[in-house]
Structure formats: C-alpha cells, structure tokens
Amino acid sequence: ARAKARTTAMQMSAQERRSLLSGTGEVATGSFVGQTRPNRRLRVPALKMQDGSSGFRPTQAGEAGTTTSFPSLLSLAATFDGDTVESVAQAIGEEFKGKGANAVLGPGASLNRVARAGRNFDQITGEDPYLGAIMSAAYVRGVQRAGVMAVVKHFAFSNQETNYDRQDSDVDERTAWEMYIPPFLAAIEAGAGGVMCSHNKVNGSYACENDYLLNTVLKKYMGFQGFVVSDMHATRSAGAIHSGLDLEMPRATYFSELALSTLIDGSPDKGRWKTADATMDAAVRVLTSMYMMKLDEHPGCDVPCIAQRSLNVRTQKHLEVARMAATRSVVLLKNDGILPLRKSKTKRIAIVGLAAVATDDGRGTNSSAYGGGGSSHVSISNVVTPLAEMIQGAQAAGITPTVSTDGQI
C-alpha cells in the first residue's frame, strides 16, 4: 500500500498533494463530519469520516433512529471479551458503510484516570492499559473487517474534558509507555488506518504539533505508517505539518493551499524543501491508509451521499448484537442467592431514580441514560425504558414493584 501511495503521490502536482491534507468543512445534507476532496484524475476517493465509537452518529434532519445505539465503549470494556467487541465493531462498521462513510472516528483509547471525566464512557480502555490494549485491537479488527477504516483517538494523554483544549499533561517516559501508550500501540499493530491527535498540550506543546509525540514516539518508535488527523479545530499552526500532523479537520484553517505553499521554516531554500518533503510524506500517509483499506477499489458514494444518509441501516441482527453486548457488560461480582429474583424469596422490589424513566430527545448531542453526550451520542427515537422492562419482569415473577423517580419511597 505504501509503495502504491508513493507512486500516486509522485504523479500528483504539489497543489493536488496539498489538497489531500485538509477537510472540506462542508455541513450540507449528505456530508460527513470530516471529509476530504477526491482526486478523480488519479482515482483517489474522498475520506468520509463520521462519529462515533458507539455507532453512526445521526447528524441530519430525520436521521435519528436509523442507526443502532450500541453499548458505550466503557461498557464494551466491562465485558472483558475481545470477541464481543469485535462483533459489535463489525456491526458498527457495517452501518457506517451503509450510510456511505468509510472511516469511524474511534475507538477512544485514552485511559480513564479521573472518575468524573466527561469522556470516560467513550474509552475502550477502562482503567487498565492491558485490558485497553486487548479491546482497542479487537475494535479495530472488527470495524476494518467491514471495510471501514478505524481512526483511534485521542493521542495522547487526553484524560479530562474540563479545559481540555488548554490543560497540559506532564508525563514521564516510563509512565507513558507502561500506562497510556499500550492501547494505542495495540490498535496500530491491529492495523488502524488513522490516529487522531488531541486538543491538550503534552509536556508543554500542543499534541497536534508536538514533534516528539507524533514524529518520534508515534511514527518512529511505534512504527505507525498511517496518517495523523487533528481533532476538530485542534490544529494550531501551519508549522504542525513539520511536527507530524498530516490532515487538518474539519477544514483548512492552517493547512490551506496558501498557507502550505508559502510556509517557510528556517532559511528560504532549506525551509521550502523541508515543507515540500513534509507535505509529500503527509500525502503518502493519507494514501497509504486509503490503499490499505482498498478504498480506491470500493469508493462508495460521491459526496453529497444524500441517498445513503436517508437509509435505515438499523437491523434486527444489529439490535441483537447490541443486546448481547449490553448483557455481557453487566458484571456480577457477588451473588448470595438473591438473583434471579423469585417470589418465594422476594415479595417486593424498589425501582428508584430518574434513569428508570429516561428517554432520549433524539437531537443528536444531548446525553441520556443510554449513551454519553457530544460527538459520540447516537440518538434514539424509540426508547423502551428500564422501568417498563422491570415492571414487566416483576409482574411475570409475581413480585410487586414500588416505583419512585424522585428518590422518595
């Protein structure tokens, strides 16, 4: 794939290579949250990247309910079962492909270190780097088996949402390699086509323009051959092209044709050659991942993918996979004979809390009891509440339920 990518990149003009390195920023019907321009002359397809890790995120009017809301990545980690993760990830990949996308922005592979961190639900690592390595690799294999590229995120040391774009993660080498890097390394070894860099600083430099983090650690030490894409609006300067960033999203704010063509680092002659080499390498990396996934052979729909985005790809098979994974994610540490509930031992049960009657507003970004908020939220249009299921089960067992959604019994 890399040799083919280099051949194609050499056939491109400098302007064509630079056009590969930023998103279009389109938000029209049929577009995706992160997409590039195709090169029809050389049969290079567009990258069509969409959120999120727990299912295809509906972002268009009327799209809620046409994709499956799978268990969160943290729930998948709680299964302790790589085969389950692969099954879910393959189903996710199939739905992405059905909607016209060719890349999943996931999995999230950051370690959960702060209990109240806003993106804990979206990390497949839990608190354990060994578990995270097994699960992130399984997710990548499953998604890419469906012919859709996995873009593992957010690299690196992105462990909180509060001030996520200003905080500085100070990490020493041993801690980095023993705790935080293993899930990313496993995803790369499993063949992940892309790595998304994070908003935060790492040891004083922003992750998306951190030369040591991207060029030395990721590309040299970890052997990553694919492309590095910025988190949305995480690019800070055109000079990031020299520091290992290959693709700016969602649009060309710093990696525009003008910015890259005029970028000079150091002396004029040396600087121009350095920038030309950097843009060539970035283009080769983007193309390598495309060819690895054979996206040129199976380009899918041309943007805008209006017909594909209107399809309902939520199948009975995928609903069964989601239910299976959710069931396996409930880990019972101890049972003193209380479960399963029996009328002979249990007369009444209390069902307490607002989550028992939670619904989903179907608007795409608001969190609910069924999935976290933001870019990973898969909105649901037809929720069956926990209360409805528990009342049905209790009545079938001859047990009387007592219900309080306001905490008062």
Side-chain angles (χ1 to χ4, degrees):
R2 189 167 180 83
K4 182 178 180 179
R6 181 163 289 280
T7 298
T8 300
M10 292 295 292
Q11 293 173 344
M12 288 179 166
S13 67
Q15 183 176 358
E16 285 177 317
R17 286 194 292 270
R18 291 190 289 265
S19 72
L20 282 176
L21 309 184
S22 61
T24 64
E26 292 180 27
V27 294
T29 300
S31 61
F32 300 88
V33 297
Q35 61 191 35
T36 60
R37 299 163 186 81
N39 184 315
R40 292 183 174 84
R41 182 176 73 85
L42 295 170
R43 297 183 61 194
V44 176
L47 277 175
K48 296 171 287 185
M49 300 183 282
Q50 184 75 5
D51 302 314
S53 301
S54 299
F56 186 96
R57 174 192 171 200
T59 54
Q60 316 232 309
E63 201 173 21
T66 64
T67 60
T68 305
S69 178
F70 290 91
S72 71
L73 293 192
L74 189 58
S75 294
L76 294 183
T79 68
F80 296 92
D81 185 352
D83 291 340
T84 295
V85 172
E86 278 199 51
S87 296
V88 171
Q90 182 171 344
I92 290 172
E94 290 168 356
E95 294 200 359
F96 269 69
K97 194 168 187 176
K99 284 287 190 178
N102 56 21
V104 176
L105 295 178
S110 297
L111 210 61
N112 287 350
R113 299 305 303 273
V114 181
R116 294 187 296 173
R119 282 186 183 265
N120 281 355
F121 75 93
D122 202 29
Q123 310 306 320
I124 204 162
T125 53
E127 300 174 288
D128 186 338
Y130 179 72
L131 174 67
I134 293 173
M135 297 305 190
S136 62
Y139 187 100
V140 169
R141 288 194 299 269
V143 162
Q144 297 196 163
R145 188 180 299 123
V148 175
M149 186 187 303
V151 180
V152 62
K153 62 184 184 182
H154 298 87
F155 193 73
F157 317 111
S158 176
N159 302 94
Q160 68 178 53
E161 279 296 278
T162 302
N163 299 322
Y164 70 96
D165 57 346
R166 297 191 298 275
Q167 65 99 4
D168 191 351
S169 298
D170 294 325
V171 190
D172 64 86
E173 287 286 307
R174 180 175 179 179
T175 303
W177 282 96
E178 291 185 1
M179 296 294 293
Y180 295 94
I181 289 178
F184 288 96
L185 179 59
I188 289 167
E189 291 176 343
V195 170
M196 175 177 277
C197 54
S198 51
H199 277 273
N200 56 285
K201 293 180 180 180
V202 177
N203 294 331
S205 298
Y206 281 105
C208 287
E209 56 182 29
N210 190 311
D211 179 75
Y212 180 72
L213 179 69
L214 301 182
N215 281 329
T216 302
V217 174
L218 179 62
K219 295 180 176 180
K220 181 179 179 181
Y221 295 162
M222 297 168 67
F224 181 55
Q225 298 295 307
F227 64 86
V228 177
V229 58
S230 73
D231 197 354
M232 302 299 153
H233 309 290
T235 307
R236 301 282 173 166
S237 70
I241 191 74
H242 297 298
S243 301
L245 180 64
D246 303 307
L247 177 57
E248 180 185 11
M249 283 292 161
R251 63 183 61 86
T253 301
Y254 295 102
F255 280 21
S256 66
E257 165 65 21
L258 177 63
L260 291 181
S261 63
T262 59
L263 178 64
I264 297 176
D265 186 291
S267 64
D269 291 337
K270 181 179 179 181
R272 287 194 180 95
W273 280 111
K274 182 178 179 182
T275 300
D277 288 345
T279 54
M280 171 64 83
D281 181 69
V284 168
R285 286 177 172 276
V286 172
L287 290 167
T288 296
S289 295
M290 287 184 178
Y291 291 149
M292 178 192 73
M293 295 301 303
K294 294 181 169 42
L295 299 185
D296 57 322
E297 298 176 19
H298 308 283
C301 56
D302 290 329
V303 178
C305 297
I306 295 174
Q308 285 76 10
R309 291 298 296 271
S310 66
L311 294 176
N312 188 335
V313 296
R314 187 169 176 252
T315 67
Q316 185 60 39
K317 178 184 176 182
H318 291 169
L319 292 174
E320 291 170 1
V321 170
R323 179 182 288 271
M324 173 271 293
T327 301
R328 292 181 181 178
S329 73
V330 180
V331 179
L332 185 64
L333 299 181
K334 186 176 182 180
N335 182 15
D336 291 327
I338 296 176
L339 298 177
L341 296 176
R342 297 183 182 87
K343 186 178 180 181
S344 59
K345 291 186 177 182
T346 305
K347 305 299 182 186
R348 300 172 68 87
I349 61 170
I351 303 171
V352 183
L354 284 172
V357 292
T359 58
D360 190 290
D361 66 11
R363 291 187 296 185
T365 57
N366 293 347
S367 62
S368 73
Y370 310 99
S375 59
S376 292
H377 185 68
V378 181
S379 52
I380 311 166
S381 58
N382 54 344
V383 168
V384 178
T385 67
L387 179 62
E389 289 285 340
M390 287 188 283
I391 287 179
Q392 182 179 355
Q395 290 175 342
I399 297 169
T400 303
T402 298
V403 180
S404 171
T405 58
D406 61 4
Q408 302 297 317
I409 297 294

